[in-house]
Amino acid sequence: MSFALRHRPLLRRLCWVGAATVLALSAVVAWGALEGERRRYFLLYYVPFFVAFFVWARLRVDAAEEWTRGTLAVDGAVVALAASRMAGPLLPLSGHMLFYSYSALTTRDGRYRLLALALAADATYFKLALWDDASSWGLGIAAGVAMAIARGRWGR
């Protein structure tokens, strides 16, 4: 039996603890260190991404029987690529759109898909309406679709 299956209850709780911790720390940062537009940007752009990550991780733990080395590798690559964007524009793609498109395409839970779609719409507003950044937006979606296809092929 794999580690994830043996420890699934603990891993599921850790995902919820992670989401709750992100929310609590975000509140402290937002109201303790940020003001105005910077606060709104942080709360409406970054915080939902982090919460969605933990919800998605919980769904992945729930489906641990379906994991293969290939699915874990692709999931890990997507998370690493999306997270790398927080260090700056190392890649010319949107980490938000990469993660939202990939996770929506590779998750069966309809509620999560709706969440990912809503958050993708939020990120789209920032990317297109506020920042006029269609390039990273489109590349992020394309990369998410490509990684979802790769997960489907390598996950067998």
Side-chain angles (χ1 to χ4, degrees):
M1 179 182 274
S2 76
F3 176 86
L5 292 175
R6 279 193 317 272
H7 300 287
R8 186 184 341 230
L10 172 64
L11 294 171
R12 292 177 86 222
R13 280 192 301 276
L14 287 174
C15 289
W16 289 133
V17 167
T21 301
V22 162
L23 287 173
L25 291 176
S26 296
V28 169
V29 168
W31 279 278
L34 301 173
E35 295 180 8
E37 288 299 316
R38 292 186 73 199
R39 179 184 293 159
R40 271 191 292 287
Y41 164 68
F42 178 72
L43 290 173
L44 296 176
Y45 191 70
Y46 278 109
V47 173
F49 178 86
F50 295 130
V51 173
F53 166 77
F54 283 108
V55 173
W56 172 80
R58 168 117 190 274
L59 292 170
R60 285 297 199 251
V61 167
D62 287 346
E65 298 87 4
E66 301 169 11
W67 292 359
T68 67
R69 286 186 179 138
T71 61
L72 289 175
V74 178
D75 283 354
V78 167
V79 169
L81 289 171
S84 75
R85 289 288 293 181
M86 288 186 298
L90 302 172
L91 299 171
L93 55 84
S94 166
H96 283 69
M97 297 311 294
L98 163 66
F99 180 76
Y100 294 146
S101 60
Y102 173 80
S103 66
L105 290 169
T106 61
T107 302
R108 291 186 190 139
D109 187 283
R111 293 168 299 174
Y112 178 81
R113 286 182 171 182
L114 286 174
L115 173 66
L117 180 63
L119 295 179
D122 176 63
T124 296
Y125 174 74
F126 277 90
K127 289 287 185 180
L128 301 182
L130 298 180
W131 302 331
D132 192 29
D133 185 11
S135 177
S136 76
W137 176 82
L139 287 171
I141 293 170
V145 170
M147 295 299 274
I149 291 168
R151 187 180 197 274
R153 291 184 184 210
W154 293 341
R156 297 180 188 148

PDB file of all heavy atoms in Angstrom, residues 54-80:
ATOM      1  N   PHE A  54      -4.873  24.058  -2.486  1.00  0.00           N
ATOM      2  CA  PHE A  54      -5.101  23.095  -1.409  1.00  0.00           C
ATOM      3  C   PHE A  54      -6.376  22.281  -1.633  1.00  0.00           C
ATOM      4  O   PHE A  54      -6.425  21.097  -1.302  1.00  0.00           O
ATOM      5  CB  PHE A  54      -5.124  23.790  -0.047  1.00  0.00           C
ATOM      6  CG  PHE A  54      -3.748  24.149   0.436  1.00  0.00           C
ATOM      7  CD1 PHE A  54      -3.331  25.471   0.456  1.00  0.00           C
ATOM      8  CD2 PHE A  54      -2.864  23.168   0.855  1.00  0.00           C
ATOM      9  CE1 PHE A  54      -2.054  25.808   0.891  1.00  0.00           C
ATOM     10  CE2 PHE A  54      -1.588  23.491   1.284  1.00  0.00           C
ATOM     11  CZ  PHE A  54      -1.186  24.813   1.306  1.00  0.00           C
ATOM     12  N   VAL A  55      -7.403  22.891  -2.205  1.00  0.00           N
ATOM     13  CA  VAL A  55      -8.618  22.143  -2.539  1.00  0.00           C
ATOM     14  C   VAL A  55      -8.288  21.091  -3.593  1.00  0.00           C
ATOM     15  O   VAL A  55      -8.676  19.925  -3.480  1.00  0.00           O
ATOM     16  CB  VAL A  55      -9.730  23.092  -3.036  1.00  0.00           C
ATOM     17  CG1 VAL A  55     -10.926  22.303  -3.555  1.00  0.00           C
ATOM     18  CG2 VAL A  55     -10.152  24.048  -1.925  1.00  0.00           C
ATOM     19  N   TRP A  56      -7.548  21.486  -4.617  1.00  0.00           N
ATOM     20  CA  TRP A  56      -7.132  20.564  -5.673  1.00  0.00           C
ATOM     21  C   TRP A  56      -6.265  19.437  -5.096  1.00  0.00           C
ATOM     22  O   TRP A  56      -6.456  18.264  -5.430  1.00  0.00           O
ATOM     23  CB  TRP A  56      -6.377  21.342  -6.752  1.00  0.00           C
ATOM     24  CG  TRP A  56      -5.735  20.509  -7.796  1.00  0.00           C
ATOM     25  CD1 TRP A  56      -6.339  19.934  -8.878  1.00  0.00           C
ATOM     26  CD2 TRP A  56      -4.351  20.169  -7.884  1.00  0.00           C
ATOM     27  NE1 TRP A  56      -5.405  19.260  -9.635  1.00  0.00           N
ATOM     28  CE2 TRP A  56      -4.186  19.398  -9.042  1.00  0.00           C
ATOM     29  CE3 TRP A  56      -3.240  20.459  -7.089  1.00  0.00           C
ATOM     30  CZ2 TRP A  56      -2.947  18.887  -9.426  1.00  0.00           C
ATOM     31  CZ3 TRP A  56      -2.015  19.964  -7.471  1.00  0.00           C
ATOM     32  CH2 TRP A  56      -1.874  19.178  -8.628  1.00  0.00           C
ATOM     33  N   ALA A  57      -5.329  19.784  -4.218  1.00  0.00           N
ATOM     34  CA  ALA A  57      -4.461  18.763  -3.613  1.00  0.00           C
ATOM     35  C   ALA A  57      -5.305  17.751  -2.832  1.00  0.00           C
ATOM     36  O   ALA A  57      -5.039  16.545  -2.877  1.00  0.00           O
ATOM     37  CB  ALA A  57      -3.424  19.421  -2.698  1.00  0.00           C
ATOM     38  N   ARG A  58      -6.327  18.221  -2.140  1.00  0.00           N
ATOM     39  CA  ARG A  58      -7.205  17.306  -1.408  1.00  0.00           C
ATOM     40  C   ARG A  58      -7.919  16.363  -2.369  1.00  0.00           C
ATOM     41  O   ARG A  58      -8.038  15.162  -2.106  1.00  0.00           O
ATOM     42  CB  ARG A  58      -8.220  18.097  -0.589  1.00  0.00           C
ATOM     43  CG  ARG A  58      -9.334  17.222  -0.052  1.00  0.00           C
ATOM     44  CD  ARG A  58      -9.373  17.169   1.443  1.00  0.00           C
ATOM     45  NE  ARG A  58     -10.283  16.158   1.919  1.00  0.00           N
ATOM     46  CZ  ARG A  58     -11.579  16.317   2.116  1.00  0.00           C
ATOM     47  NH1 ARG A  58     -12.154  17.461   1.852  1.00  0.00           N
ATOM     48  NH2 ARG A  58     -12.301  15.339   2.592  1.00  0.00           N
ATOM     49  N   LEU A  59      -8.373  16.882  -3.476  1.00  0.00           N
ATOM     50  CA  LEU A  59      -9.025  16.021  -4.471  1.00  0.00           C
ATOM     51  C   LEU A  59      -8.048  15.006  -5.041  1.00  0.00           C
ATOM     52  O   LEU A  59      -8.419  13.861  -5.309  1.00  0.00           O
ATOM     53  CB  LEU A  59      -9.638  16.873  -5.584  1.00  0.00           C
ATOM     54  CG  LEU A  59     -10.829  17.723  -5.155  1.00  0.00           C
ATOM     55  CD1 LEU A  59     -11.208  18.696  -6.260  1.00  0.00           C
ATOM     56  CD2 LEU A  59     -12.009  16.855  -4.754  1.00  0.00           C
ATOM     57  N   ARG A  60      -6.800  15.410  -5.211  1.00  0.00           N
ATOM     58  CA  ARG A  60      -5.789  14.466  -5.694  1.00  0.00           C
ATOM     59  C   ARG A  60      -5.544  13.374  -4.657  1.00  0.00           C
ATOM     60  O   ARG A  60      -5.404  12.203  -5.001  1.00  0.00           O
ATOM     61  CB  ARG A  60      -4.472  15.186  -6.014  1.00  0.00           C
ATOM     62  CG  ARG A  60      -4.498  15.992  -7.302  1.00  0.00           C
ATOM     63  CD  ARG A  60      -4.724  15.079  -8.500  1.00  0.00           C
ATOM     64  NE  ARG A  60      -4.319  15.705  -9.723  1.00  0.00           N
ATOM     65  CZ  ARG A  60      -5.147  16.126 -10.670  1.00  0.00           C
ATOM     66  NH1 ARG A  60      -6.453  15.992 -10.520  1.00  0.00           N
ATOM     67  NH2 ARG A  60      -4.690  16.682 -11.760  1.00  0.00           N
ATOM     68  N   VAL A  61      -5.480  13.736  -3.388  1.00  0.00           N
ATOM     69  CA  VAL A  61      -5.303  12.737  -2.330  1.00  0.00           C
ATOM     70  C   VAL A  61      -6.488  11.770  -2.320  1.00  0.00           C
ATOM     71  O   VAL A  61      -6.315  10.559  -2.175  1.00  0.00           O
ATOM     72  CB  VAL A  61      -5.139  13.422  -0.947  1.00  0.00           C
ATOM     73  CG1 VAL A  61      -5.263  12.417   0.187  1.00  0.00           C
ATOM     74  CG2 VAL A  61      -3.798  14.156  -0.875  1.00  0.00           C
ATOM     75  N   ASP A  62      -7.698  12.295  -2.512  1.00  0.00           N
ATOM     76  CA  ASP A  62      -8.883  11.437  -2.555  1.00  0.00           C
ATOM     77  C   ASP A  62      -8.816  10.423  -3.691  1.00  0.00           C
ATOM     78  O   ASP A  62      -9.427   9.360  -3.606  1.00  0.00           O
ATOM     79  CB  ASP A  62     -10.153  12.283  -2.707  1.00  0.00           C
ATOM     80  CG  ASP A  62     -10.512  13.021  -1.431  1.00  0.00           C
ATOM     81  OD1 ASP A  62      -9.963  12.694  -0.363  1.00  0.00           O
ATOM     82  OD2 ASP A  62     -11.346  13.947  -1.523  1.00  0.00           O
ATOM     83  N   ALA A  63      -8.096  10.752  -4.747  1.00  0.00           N
ATOM     84  CA  ALA A  63      -7.981   9.863  -5.915  1.00  0.00           C
ATOM     85  C   ALA A  63      -6.615   9.183  -5.975  1.00  0.00           C
ATOM     86  O   ALA A  63      -6.130   8.837  -7.056  1.00  0.00           O
ATOM     87  CB  ALA A  63      -8.236  10.661  -7.193  1.00  0.00           C
ATOM     88  N   ALA A  64      -6.005   8.949  -4.834  1.00  0.00           N
ATOM     89  CA  ALA A  64      -4.646   8.404  -4.796  1.00  0.00           C
ATOM     90  C   ALA A  64      -4.521   7.036  -5.464  1.00  0.00           C
ATOM     91  O   ALA A  64      -3.442   6.685  -5.951  1.00  0.00           O
ATOM     92  CB  ALA A  64      -4.146   8.329  -3.353  1.00  0.00           C
ATOM     93  N   GLU A  65      -5.613   6.279  -5.524  1.00  0.00           N
ATOM     94  CA  GLU A  65      -5.551   4.966  -6.182  1.00  0.00           C
ATOM     95  C   GLU A  65      -5.210   5.095  -7.663  1.00  0.00           C
ATOM     96  O   GLU A  65      -4.698   4.158  -8.267  1.00  0.00           O
ATOM     97  CB  GLU A  65      -6.906   4.226  -6.074  1.00  0.00           C
ATOM     98  CG  GLU A  65      -7.349   3.924  -4.685  1.00  0.00           C
ATOM     99  CD  GLU A  65      -8.131   5.086  -4.065  1.00  0.00           C
ATOM    100  OE1 GLU A  65      -8.388   6.093  -4.741  1.00  0.00           O
ATOM    101  OE2 GLU A  65      -8.455   4.969  -2.877  1.00  0.00           O
ATOM    102  N   GLU A  66      -5.511   6.237  -8.235  1.00  0.00           N
ATOM    103  CA  GLU A  66      -5.295   6.449  -9.666  1.00  0.00           C
ATOM    104  C   GLU A  66      -3.913   6.998 -10.001  1.00  0.00           C
ATOM    105  O   GLU A  66      -3.586   7.154 -11.172  1.00  0.00           O
ATOM    106  CB  GLU A  66      -6.363   7.421 -10.192  1.00  0.00           C
ATOM    107  CG  GLU A  66      -7.767   6.918  -9.990  1.00  0.00           C
ATOM    108  CD  GLU A  66      -8.816   7.981 -10.269  1.00  0.00           C
ATOM    109  OE1 GLU A  66      -8.465   9.052 -10.816  1.00  0.00           O
ATOM    110  OE2 GLU A  66      -9.980   7.736  -9.957  1.00  0.00           O
ATOM    111  N   TRP A  67      -3.121   7.301  -8.992  1.00  0.00           N
ATOM    112  CA  TRP A  67      -1.804   7.892  -9.238  1.00  0.00           C
ATOM    113  C   TRP A  67      -0.885   6.909  -9.946  1.00  0.00           C
ATOM    114  O   TRP A  67      -0.887   5.710  -9.671  1.00  0.00           O
ATOM    115  CB  TRP A  67      -1.119   8.282  -7.936  1.00  0.00           C
ATOM    116  CG  TRP A  67      -1.731   9.405  -7.175  1.00  0.00           C
ATOM    117  CD1 TRP A  67      -2.822  10.151  -7.508  1.00  0.00           C
ATOM    118  CD2 TRP A  67      -1.289   9.884  -5.914  1.00  0.00           C
ATOM    119  NE1 TRP A  67      -3.071  11.077  -6.541  1.00  0.00           N
ATOM    120  CE2 TRP A  67      -2.155  10.951  -5.548  1.00  0.00           C
ATOM    121  CE3 TRP A  67      -0.251   9.549  -5.062  1.00  0.00           C
ATOM    122  CZ2 TRP A  67      -1.990  11.653  -4.363  1.00  0.00           C
ATOM    123  CZ3 TRP A  67      -0.097  10.246  -3.890  1.00  0.00           C
ATOM    124  CH2 TRP A  67      -0.957  11.295  -3.545  1.00  0.00           C
ATOM    125  N   THR A  68      -0.090   7.455 -10.838  1.00  0.00           N
ATOM    126  CA  THR A  68       1.033   6.716 -11.422  1.00  0.00           C
ATOM    127  C   THR A  68       2.244   7.627 -11.326  1.00  0.00           C
ATOM    128  O   THR A  68       2.110   8.817 -10.992  1.00  0.00           O
ATOM    129  CB  THR A  68       0.777   6.372 -12.910  1.00  0.00           C
ATOM    130  OG1 THR A  68       0.765   7.594 -13.668  1.00  0.00           O
ATOM    131  CG2 THR A  68      -0.528   5.612 -13.104  1.00  0.00           C
ATOM    132  N   ARG A  69       3.385   7.097 -11.629  1.00  0.00           N
ATOM    133  CA  ARG A  69       4.568   7.972 -11.648  1.00  0.00           C
ATOM    134  C   ARG A  69       4.385   9.103 -12.648  1.00  0.00           C
ATOM    135  O   ARG A  69       4.789  10.233 -12.412  1.00  0.00           O
ATOM    136  CB  ARG A  69       5.813   7.163 -11.973  1.00  0.00           C
ATOM    137  CG  ARG A  69       6.250   6.309 -10.830  1.00  0.00           C
ATOM    138  CD  ARG A  69       7.572   5.633 -11.130  1.00  0.00           C
ATOM    139  NE  ARG A  69       7.966   4.842  -9.986  1.00  0.00           N
ATOM    140  CZ  ARG A  69       8.486   3.650 -10.065  1.00  0.00           C
ATOM    141  NH1 ARG A  69       8.694   3.090 -11.232  1.00  0.00           N
ATOM    142  NH2 ARG A  69       8.822   2.998  -8.973  1.00  0.00           N
ATOM    143  N   GLY A  70       3.746   8.793 -13.766  1.00  0.00           N
ATOM    144  CA  GLY A  70       3.516   9.805 -14.791  1.00  0.00           C
ATOM    145  C   GLY A  70       2.587  10.913 -14.328  1.00  0.00           C
ATOM    146  O   GLY A  70       2.873  12.099 -14.540  1.00  0.00           O
ATOM    147  N   THR A  71       1.469  10.540 -13.676  1.00  0.00           N
ATOM    148  CA  THR A  71       0.537  11.578 -13.225  1.00  0.00           C
ATOM    149  C   THR A  71       1.174  12.441 -12.141  1.00  0.00           C
ATOM    150  O   THR A  71       0.990  13.655 -12.131  1.00  0.00           O
ATOM    151  CB  THR A  71      -0.785  10.975 -12.703  1.00  0.00           C
ATOM    152  OG1 THR A  71      -0.522  10.121 -11.592  1.00  0.00           O
ATOM    153  CG2 THR A  71      -1.521  10.230 -13.792  1.00  0.00           C
ATOM    154  N   LEU A  72       1.910  11.816 -11.255  1.00  0.00           N
ATOM    155  CA  LEU A  72       2.586  12.585 -10.206  1.00  0.00           C
ATOM    156  C   LEU A  72       3.640  13.514 -10.794  1.00  0.00           C
ATOM    157  O   LEU A  72       3.785  14.660 -10.346  1.00  0.00           O
ATOM    158  CB  LEU A  72       3.221  11.646  -9.187  1.00  0.00           C
ATOM    159  CG  LEU A  72       2.254  10.896  -8.280  1.00  0.00           C
ATOM    160  CD1 LEU A  72       3.014   9.905  -7.407  1.00  0.00           C
ATOM    161  CD2 LEU A  72       1.453  11.860  -7.425  1.00  0.00           C
ATOM    162  N   ALA A  73       4.360  13.046 -11.799  1.00  0.00           N
ATOM    163  CA  ALA A  73       5.384  13.884 -12.429  1.00  0.00           C
ATOM    164  C   ALA A  73       4.760  15.100 -13.108  1.00  0.00           C
ATOM    165  O   ALA A  73       5.264  16.226 -12.977  1.00  0.00           O
ATOM    166  CB  ALA A  73       6.197  13.069 -13.436  1.00  0.00           C
ATOM    167  N   VAL A  74       3.671  14.885 -13.827  1.00  0.00           N
ATOM    168  CA  VAL A  74       3.034  16.007 -14.522  1.00  0.00           C
ATOM    169  C   VAL A  74       2.403  16.960 -13.511  1.00  0.00           C
ATOM    170  O   VAL A  74       2.558  18.182 -13.631  1.00  0.00           O
ATOM    171  CB  VAL A  74       2.003  15.517 -15.562  1.00  0.00           C
ATOM    172  CG1 VAL A  74       1.310  16.695 -16.227  1.00  0.00           C
ATOM    173  CG2 VAL A  74       2.678  14.648 -16.619  1.00  0.00           C
ATOM    174  N   ASP A  75       1.706  16.428 -12.515  1.00  0.00           N
ATOM    175  CA  ASP A  75       1.145  17.296 -11.472  1.00  0.00           C
ATOM    176  C   ASP A  75       2.247  18.133 -10.827  1.00  0.00           C
ATOM    177  O   ASP A  75       2.095  19.348 -10.642  1.00  0.00           O
ATOM    178  CB  ASP A  75       0.454  16.472 -10.382  1.00  0.00           C
ATOM    179  CG  ASP A  75      -0.910  15.939 -10.767  1.00  0.00           C
ATOM    180  OD1 ASP A  75      -1.423  16.284 -11.856  1.00  0.00           O
ATOM    181  OD2 ASP A  75      -1.471  15.166  -9.954  1.00  0.00           O
ATOM    182  N   GLY A  76       3.347  17.485 -10.484  1.00  0.00           N
ATOM    183  CA  GLY A  76       4.461  18.197  -9.854  1.00  0.00           C
ATOM    184  C   GLY A  76       5.054  19.263 -10.758  1.00  0.00           C
ATOM    185  O   GLY A  76       5.381  20.365 -10.303  1.00  0.00           O
ATOM    186  N   ALA A  77       5.193  18.955 -12.035  1.00  0.00           N
ATOM    187  CA  ALA A  77       5.736  19.933 -12.985  1.00  0.00           C
ATOM    188  C   ALA A  77       4.811  21.138 -13.104  1.00  0.00           C
ATOM    189  O   ALA A  77       5.281  22.286 -13.132  1.00  0.00           O
ATOM    190  CB  ALA A  77       5.951  19.282 -14.352  1.00  0.00           C
ATOM    191  N   VAL A  78       3.505  20.907 -13.154  1.00  0.00           N
ATOM    192  CA  VAL A  78       2.551  22.014 -13.257  1.00  0.00           C
ATOM    193  C   VAL A  78       2.634  22.904 -12.023  1.00  0.00           C
ATOM    194  O   VAL A  78       2.699  24.132 -12.128  1.00  0.00           O
ATOM    195  CB  VAL A  78       1.112  21.494 -13.478  1.00  0.00           C
ATOM    196  CG1 VAL A  78       0.085  22.586 -13.272  1.00  0.00           C
ATOM    197  CG2 VAL A  78       0.989  20.905 -14.868  1.00  0.00           C
ATOM    198  N   VAL A  79       2.644  22.287 -10.853  1.00  0.00           N
ATOM    199  CA  VAL A  79       2.716  23.067  -9.616  1.00  0.00           C
ATOM    200  C   VAL A  79       4.023  23.857  -9.568  1.00  0.00           C
ATOM    201  O   VAL A  79       4.031  25.045  -9.232  1.00  0.00           O
ATOM    202  CB  VAL A  79       2.553  22.159  -8.377  1.00  0.00           C
ATOM    203  CG1 VAL A  79       2.887  22.900  -7.093  1.00  0.00           C
ATOM    204  CG2 VAL A  79       1.137  21.598  -8.321  1.00  0.00           C
ATOM    205  N   ALA A  80       5.133  23.229  -9.937  1.00  0.00           N
ATOM    206  CA  ALA A  80       6.423  23.918  -9.915  1.00  0.00           C
ATOM    207  C   ALA A  80       6.451  25.080 -10.914  1.00  0.00           C
ATOM    208  O   ALA A  80       6.929  26.169 -10.586  1.00  0.00           O
ATOM    209  CB  ALA A  80       7.550  22.932 -10.218  1.00  0.00           C
TER     210      ALA A  80
END
